[in-house]
Amino acid sequence: MEYILTVMVLIGINVVLATSFNLILGYGGLMSVAHPIFYAIGAYCSGLLAIHLQIPVPLSILIGAGIAMVLSFGVSLPSLRVSGDYLVIASIGFQLGILHVINNLDFTGAAGGLTNIPVLNEGPSRSLVFVLLIAVVAACAVLLVAWIVEGDYGRAITAMRNDEEAFSALGRNAMNIKIVLFAIGSGMAGLAGALYAHYFAYVTPEQFGIFTSAALLTMVVVGGAATTWGPLVGAVLLTTLPQAITFLGLPVSIMAPLQGVIYTTLVIFFLFARPQGLTGGSRGGGGLEAWSASAAFRARRDAE
Amino acid sequence: MFEIQNLTARYGPLIAVNDVSLSFETGVRMGIFGHNGSGKSTFLKCLVGGVKDVSGAVAFGGSPIVADQVHRNVMLGIGFVPQVQNVFPNLTVEQNLHIAGSKSDSSFLEEAYALFPLLRERQDQLAGDMSGGEQQMLAVALALMTRPQILLLDEPTAGLAPAIVKNVLESLLRINSELGTGLILVEQNVLAALDVVERAIVLKGGRVVFDGASEELRAKEDLWAWF
Ligand SMILES: Nc1ncnc2c1ncn2[C@@H]1O[C@H](COP(=O)(O)OP(=O)(O)OP(=O)(O)O)[C@@H](O)[C@H]1O
Ligand SMILES: [Mg+2]
């Protein structure tokens, strides 16, 4: 039972992560791989604040999310000013840099990880309560993103992703939208990280590396980028799948690479065979389609 | 009034616009002509700050046009219709017009529909599903939603059937006479465009090689040698 509840907590956390990553990548069309680092920032900041400053856990969770949001400007402001392509490079640099710092500071527990993080709630049914909490948070995350991309602001986001030049020709500022989306998405990742830290009481740097970037990308692409339910479906699927494989009882030396192979295969398969993902309509104008359309368009324009 | 002084625009080592100085009144009807690659689109983009690597100065109504700040520059009262991808394909016609009109009030929507009744019929259609001519109409309507004093159009008739070319040019002329909106028109349909504009500029290798009345250009016996 405890095992199932733990998996459900992980699913909830991954729903928040994939949904917020979808806001950045799918809806915003912003190529960033650094989503796990904002997850890490939320986890470490909240954990450290609770450990060293004895800040009440609920408050430290909110502060952790806030710090992740604020630090996102450090990546988005300088890179988006240059061009969207710089964001990819800046985000990789930021992710590796922060991971390096975490890995080498005694203060953060270095490679061994941060232990003895105070938990959010205790008691006999602590996991059950936490599952309910994370379910509410995940539902709020999905609804928040759905709300952002509906209505006037959502149409502006679609227009910006369709064509930035035409968008700015109408007096609209694409950079503002991108920075806002990146900040909201990063803040949500920070929240997920903080919740994780105060449930498992333990985080290690290796949880927030490129492998996690790949896993989140897979969730978004497989579920359906720029759709409301896609990241949720992707997160549920890709959290339970590795657990199911565990039951096969394969040795670790086969298990770990097998997961990587599955993720890679899924991403490639969906990119080519079903770019709208599992939940996207046949032509919903979803993120990946929009990118490939505008990328093809730009290539044509540049070739002229 | 647009004032352009010693404008030079580069893409890396390539000089696309070379030391151009011009000025024209806001209500002008002006055509810009020239070979493919002569710098017409680049020149037009420079007028809204759409090219990063520029030297010289461009000012509209006394305010400087700042490079790479297109969204601010156009709000000075410049409507810009880019050569390609000038509508948002994943949005409906009406949603397109709302994006454009976000800084103005909704009465402009009625004006746009009055100018292009066809757009009202198509208001719930995705812009990407419309024909090329319909998209051009929408693109012009979008630019008008910002209430520009002058409209910059980059080949608004490209790829259209001759009858539609005439339609589009006529509606532009109507916009000019009814709203007083100036027109800067980049065109390959030179003869059709010369009927609409009063002044003509010819670019070659990024330089102005002709600047005069459109009648003067039409009268040139070696007109075709210019293109
Ligand atoms: N984004 C760009 N990057 C690099 N070079 C460019 C870019 N845009 C245009 N150029 C080059 O600058 C020169 C002028 O291009 P421009 O698009 O202004 O010409 P044009 O007169 O509008 O041509 P066309 O009639 O084909 O539209 C060309 O040699 C073109 O290859
Ligand atoms: Mg051109």
Side-chain angles (χ1 to χ4, degrees):
Chain A
M1 190 59 201
E2 190 63 24
Y3 169 75
I4 292 178
L5 290 175
T6 303
V7 172
M8 287 171 81
V9 169
L10 284 175
I11 289 175
I13 300 240
N14 282 336
V15 169
V16 177
L17 284 173
T19 300
S20 53
F21 193 37
N22 183 39
L23 182 67
I24 293 172
L25 183 83
Y27 288 110
L30 294 167
M31 287 297 278
S32 161
V33 295
H35 209 55
I37 207 64
F38 295 104
Y39 179 40
I41 289 167
Y44 275 94
C45 289
S46 181
L48 288 168
L49 285 171
I51 293 171
H52 294 291
L53 300 180
Q54 284 84 44
I55 289 181
V57 172
L59 185 60
S60 75
I61 289 175
L62 292 179
I63 297 176
I67 294 175
M69 185 183 267
V70 170
L71 287 182
S72 81
F73 295 113
V75 180
S76 64
L77 277 176
S79 58
L80 289 175
R81 214 170 272 278
V82 184
S83 90
D85 304 335
Y86 263 69
L87 184 65
V88 189
I89 299 161
S91 69
I92 295 173
F94 188 71
Q95 183 172 18
L96 296 180
I98 299 269
L99 274 181
H100 191 76
V101 170
I102 295 176
N103 251 313
N104 289 285
L105 280 182
D106 286 340
F107 180 58
T108 58
L114 187 63
T115 51
N116 295 325
I117 302 170
V119 292
L120 177 63
N121 61 326
E122 282 172 318
S125 51
R126 118 176 170 91
S127 293
L128 187 62
V129 170
F130 201 90
V131 166
L132 294 177
L133 171 73
I134 196 81
V136 170
V137 172
C140 289
V142 172
L143 291 178
L144 174 68
V145 170
W147 179 73
I148 291 172
V149 302
E150 281 297 314
D152 283 353
Y153 200 67
R155 284 198 289 273
I157 294 169
T158 306
M160 169 204 80
R161 210 176 53 225
N162 272 182
D163 196 79
E164 238 180 278
E165 216 171 273
F167 191 68
S168 58
L170 298 174
R172 307 280 310 246
N173 188 346
M175 202 168 84
N176 280 354
I177 295 189
K178 291 180 180 179
I179 288 169
V180 168
L181 292 183
F182 197 72
I184 295 174
S186 300
M188 288 166 73
L191 178 66
L195 287 168
Y196 182 99
H198 295 286
Y199 177 77
F200 289 99
Y202 171 55
V203 290
T204 65
E206 68 191 26
Q207 287 172 282
F208 307 105
I210 295 292
F211 186 77
T212 308
S213 302
L216 291 179
L217 180 69
T218 314
M219 289 174 197
V220 172
V221 170
V222 168
T227 64
T228 303
W229 302 109
L232 185 135
V233 171
V236 172
L237 212 65
L238 281 135
T239 313
T240 46
L241 195 67
Q243 305 295 333
I245 297 173
T246 316
F247 281 111
L248 295 177
L250 297 171
V252 174
S253 60
I254 298 179
M255 270 288 300
L258 188 63
Q259 273 193 27
V261 169
I262 290 173
Y263 283 3
T264 315
T265 313
L266 280 174
V267 167
I268 293 175
F269 172 79
F270 273 88
L271 278 178
F272 285 98
R274 201 175 158 83
Q276 71 273 36
L278 286 173
T279 62
S282 59
R283 51 160 313 174
L288 289 174
E289 274 184 291
W291 296 338
S292 46
S294 53
F297 165 73
R298 268 198 297 275
R300 221 182 321 126
R301 183 170 62 191
D302 293 346
E304 267 172 11
Chain B
M1 172 154 158
F2 252 115
E3 284 168 295
I4 300 146
Q5 274 169 18
N6 306 105
L7 176 70
T8 295
R10 294 185 176 79
Y11 298 112
L14 182 118
I15 296 181
V17 170
N18 197 345
D19 195 25
V20 170
S21 297
L22 279 179
S23 66
F24 39 89
E25 292 301 325
T26 305
V28 75
R29 295 193 310 275
M30 188 168 90
I32 299 174
F33 308 107
H35 283 292
N36 292 120
S38 57
K40 306 181 297 294
S41 296
T42 305
F43 175 71
L44 215 57
K45 278 185 205 162
C46 288
L47 298 188
V48 290
V51 182
K52 281 184 189 170
D53 189 1
V54 287
S55 60
V58 181
F60 179 70
S63 309
I65 296 294
V66 183
D68 216 20
Q69 293 288 325
V70 178
H71 63 281
R72 293 226 180 92
N73 298 327
V74 293
M75 292 321 281
L76 296 171
I78 309 168
F80 176 52
V81 182
Q83 180 166 5
V84 277
Q85 197 86 344
N86 43 27
V87 299
F88 306 109
N90 291 339
L91 296 179
T92 66
V93 168
E94 181 137 338
Q95 289 171 345
N96 265 269
L97 290 165
H98 272 298
I99 295 285
S102 66
K103 299 207 171 166
S104 55
D105 73 82
S106 57
S107 68
F108 294 3
L109 195 66
E110 283 309 310
E111 262 175 53
Y113 286 149
L115 261 165
F116 301 103
L118 185 120
L119 293 181
R120 190 198 302 275
E121 287 168 35
R122 299 291 161 85
Q123 58 182 332
D124 294 322
Q125 189 172 348
L126 284 183
D129 289 346
M130 296 202 301
S131 76
E134 292 164 353
Q135 288 190 15
Q136 284 299 358
M137 252 176 235
L138 177 58
V140 173
L142 288 184
L144 285 173
M145 292 295 284
T146 59
R147 266 298 155 96
Q149 298 160 40
I150 191 165
L151 204 48
L152 316 182
L153 302 124
D154 198 346
E155 303 200 19
T157 67
L160 303 185
I164 317 261
V165 168
K166 211 162 150 269
N167 265 340
V168 170
L169 291 177
E170 269 166 11
S171 34
L172 291 177
L173 209 52
R174 215 166 62 231
I175 289 163
N176 174 257
S177 59
E178 284 174 17
L179 306 175
T181 312
L183 299 175
I184 307 294
L185 195 58
V186 169
E187 264 302 337
Q188 299 284 358
N189 291 309
V190 180
L191 289 178
L194 282 176
D195 287 340
V196 173
V197 299
E198 52 197 8
R199 179 174 169 188
I201 303 273
V202 178
L203 291 179
K204 194 170 186 176
R207 286 182 187 274
V208 176
V209 292
F210 176 91
D211 179 358
S214 48
E215 290 315 309
E216 200 183 321
L217 183 62
R218 193 204 301 277
K220 276 200 177 296
E221 286 177 10
D222 56 346
L223 176 67
W224 297 109
W226 293 80
F227 302 109

